[in-house]
Amino acid sequence: MAENDPIASIVKPFNTLVIGMTSRPGAGISRFTRRAHDQYVADIAPGLSQFRAIQPITMHYLLKRAGYQPTSDTYSVNPQTLREFHRNSFINGTHEAILHPLHKLVSDIVIVEKIRHPQDAAYIQQHGGFILHAMTDEATADSRYISDINDFKFSSAPYSEERMNELTLSKAEMSPASPDDIYSSNILGCIELADDTADFNGSMNDSMKNGLNAVVRLAFRYLDLDQTPQDIAS
């Protein structure tokens, strides 16, 4: 921010690098973060010794901290009520409280999945973080979405009617529910705000590599350092 920007005096930057990841539903962000969880940054990029490990945080976790009550089952999520709770946080002015815990984190590179609201993306950027777009084509994302057996939202078999219906609901979040609903999910709006892009169209191994490379690029950008090929572990 510019020194004469009045907002700069009241916005407190995060204490570490925060990266919000956004994508069309099914791109593979959850799989990526499961594999990246607790990976030591120095093993990926020796030039980033300032950071300890990669720490993913789900939006579901942040919403629960802010008061969202899914069901009596800790691991059960009703996507519809989750989205409504998130939307209402913008309407009733409690939105910033959802993301405030990110200010308490230090040392790790924090990845927040999954950013669906441009206001969330803007909050992360205003506090010194970045938005990363995990890019996939629609066919690849659809296939991954309905076949992810590790997604705890589902209890039915892959390609079941339940999963297909949930995919339809999730894809509706790509654009606002109505043109004048500024509080609606709007993944396309988040993608437009992205600071960098990682190609997730290939295999999950390739997506993992591309995602980590993008995280490294953003980390060097965060530190205002130049990156060289030697900075990334082979």
Side-chain angles (χ1 to χ4, degrees):
M1 288 184 179
E3 291 184 4
N4 61 353
D5 188 341
I7 298 179
S9 63
I10 61 175
V11 173
K12 182 180 179 181
F14 296 126
N15 296 311
T16 192
L17 172 58
V18 176
I19 300 174
M21 290 195 72
T22 190
S23 70
R24 66 169 59 252
I29 290 178
S30 294
R31 298 187 194 190
F32 169 74
T33 54
R34 281 197 295 267
R35 293 176 63 176
H37 186 210
D38 285 339
Q39 184 162 348
Y40 287 107
V41 177
D43 292 340
I44 306 168
L48 295 177
S49 58
Q50 294 92 331
F51 300 107
R52 185 177 55 185
I54 293 177
Q55 179 64 43
I57 294 181
T58 65
M59 185 58 68
H60 172 230
Y61 169 78
L62 292 172
L63 291 171
K64 283 185 64 178
R65 282 183 58 98
Y68 170 67
Q69 299 292 330
T71 64
S72 58
D73 180 357
T74 304
Y75 298 99
S76 177
V77 179
N78 183 324
Q80 194 63 41
T81 60
L82 186 73
R83 293 167 191 146
E84 193 61 26
F85 180 90
H86 199 169
R87 180 179 182 278
N88 286 339
S89 74
F90 297 106
I91 297 173
N92 60 32
T94 59
H95 157 242
E96 291 197 2
I98 293 173
L99 298 178
H100 186 73
L102 299 175
H103 289 275
K104 301 178 182 180
L105 302 172
V106 296
S107 301
D108 293 331
I109 293 179
V110 179
I111 298 178
V112 184
E113 57 159 306
K114 307 162 184 171
I115 303 300
R116 298 180 176 91
H117 292 264
Q119 294 95 328
D120 287 339
Y123 182 95
I124 289 173
Q125 291 174 322
Q126 289 166 359
H127 292 81
F130 299 98
I131 300 300
L132 175 59
H133 172 208
M135 179 183 63
T136 55
D137 60 61
E138 186 173 13
T140 298
D142 287 359
S143 177
R144 287 176 180 170
Y145 187 100
I146 58 181
S147 61
D148 186 359
I149 61 174
N150 293 310
D151 191 334
F152 63 84
K153 293 195 299 294
F154 302 111
S155 60
S156 56
Y159 295 91
S160 69
E161 182 177 357
E162 180 185 359
R163 290 198 185 197
M164 297 298 291
N165 289 339
E166 179 55 34
L167 174 59
T168 299
L169 289 174
S170 294
K171 290 173 72 172
E173 292 189 280
M174 291 293 292
S175 301
S178 63
D180 58 346
D181 187 355
I182 62 173
Y183 303 115
S184 175
S185 300
N186 181 4
I187 295 174
L188 288 175
C190 296
I191 290 173
E192 290 177 359
L193 293 173
D195 298 285
D196 204 340
T197 298
D199 186 354
F200 272 43
N201 275 305
S203 67
M204 283 311 301
N205 284 338
D206 287 341
S207 298
M208 184 73 184
K209 178 180 178 180
N210 293 339
L212 290 177
N213 285 344
V215 168
V216 168
R217 289 194 300 270
L218 290 173
F220 276 95
R221 181 173 169 183
Y222 173 81
L223 297 172
D224 198 23
L225 297 174
D226 292 329
Q227 178 186 336
T228 67
Q230 290 74 31
D231 290 321
I232 302 178
S234 58

